[in-house]
Amino acid sequence: MSIPPAPGKTGLKADAAFRTIGELSRETGLPQHVLRYWETRFPQLRPLQRAGNRRYYRAEDVALVRRIDHLLNREGYTVRGVQQVLGGEAVMAAPGALESLRAIRDLLAAALAED
């Protein structure tokens, strides 16, 4: 039996609000043990942990969980594949990554032009 929201409350949290693992599980339909497992497999997923190891997911954690869920359960990626996708995104977000990739592209283009 669920507890009705307090008067004046919709029962929904603001997008920026922290969520417990139970709240995130209900929102996404993912079991709590799956969320805990993903924390071991995806280093990018690091909710805040308070006393008693209570997990609090930030808005960016929620977005990442939804992305992982989409890639695994809708796009058909494996855990390893999602790790590579997320790892590639981290590299692309690194300062200077785009310039480095352009330099590599230019070197490859020059090498191909010589042949």
Side-chain angles (χ1 to χ4, degrees), residues 87-98 101:
E89 289 174 358
V91 168
M92 288 303 295
L98 190 56
L101 289 174

Side-chain angles (χ1 to χ4, degrees), residues 4 14 18 29 37 44 56 58 63 70-72 76:
F18 286 75
Y37 172 73
Q44 301 89 344
Y56 291 95
R58 298 168 292 236
H70 177 78
L71 290 170
L72 284 173

